[in-house]
């Protein structure tokens, strides 16, 4: 089985919605890193030296490659990445090898067998 790593940077207020959408699209889970910071085209506004940014989360999904584009599109739609500047971004990269994903492989095999 071949995997992709989907990395999404999102406003923390959208993390739960993105997780729900990714699960509905076939993701079996994710690792979430809180309190990330990003800067886009425009610099962040400050008030007395304090940055007025919203918190960001980094979501890491290891997904089966045939599901990856479908999951990525759902994440984009719910995260509104293409509609609202500064709302976040997501991309996918190839995973050469992975360990600790046997439970995911078993779940995916069961889902395919149920469809047959």
């Amino acid at each position: 089985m071949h995997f992709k790593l989907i990395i999404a940077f999102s406003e923390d207020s959208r993390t739960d919605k993105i997780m729900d959408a990714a699960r509905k699209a076939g993701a079996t889970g994710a690792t979430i890193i809180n309190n990330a910071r990003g800067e886009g085209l425009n610099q962040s506004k400050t008030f007395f030296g304090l940055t007025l940014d919203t918190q960001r989360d980094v979501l890491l999904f290891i997904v089966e490659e045939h599901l990856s584009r479908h999951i990525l599109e759902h994440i984009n739609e719910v995260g509104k990445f293409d509609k609202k500047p500064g709302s976040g971004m997501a991309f996918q990269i190839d995973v050469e090898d992975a360990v600790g994903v046997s439970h995911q492989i078993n779940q995916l095999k069961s889902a395919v067998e149920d469809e047959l």
Side-chain angles (χ1 to χ4, degrees):
M1 212 170 252
H2 298 283
F3 293 97
K4 297 273 189 177
L5 172 63
I6 296 176
I7 302 171
F9 301 91
S10 162
E11 295 174 335
D12 66 344
S13 61
R14 295 209 173 275
T15 298
D16 290 337
K17 292 175 184 172
I18 289 172
M19 283 297 303
D20 290 343
R23 283 186 188 275
K24 286 178 185 169
T28 56
T31 296
I32 301 169
I33 302 170
N34 301 102
N35 301 324
R37 190 176 79 99
E39 253 187 58
L41 292 173
N42 301 315
Q43 262 189 327
S44 303
K45 295 180 181 169
T46 59
F47 180 73
F48 292 118
L50 300 173
T51 305
L52 301 175
D53 280 340
T54 59
Q55 285 298 123
R56 305 272 177 213
D57 288 340
V58 180
L59 295 83
L60 306 169
F61 300 89
I62 298 255
V63 300
E64 207 283 320
E65 72 176 336
H66 294 97
L67 300 173
S68 64
R69 182 64 194 182
H70 181 66
I71 294 168
L72 188 65
E73 288 172 359
H74 275 67
I75 289 170
N76 180 45
E77 184 179 319
V78 171
K80 300 183 180 185
F81 299 155
D82 285 334
K83 295 183 179 176
K84 182 181 164 195
S87 60
M89 63 182 276
F91 56 92
Q92 65 181 351
I93 58 176
D94 291 327
V95 173
E96 186 174 326
D97 201 0
V99 296
V101 293
S102 59
H103 64 282
Q104 185 173 351
I105 292 170
N106 292 336
Q107 185 174 347
L108 289 167
K109 283 181 181 178
S110 294
V112 168
E113 289 171 358
D114 289 346
E115 289 180 11
L116 297 177

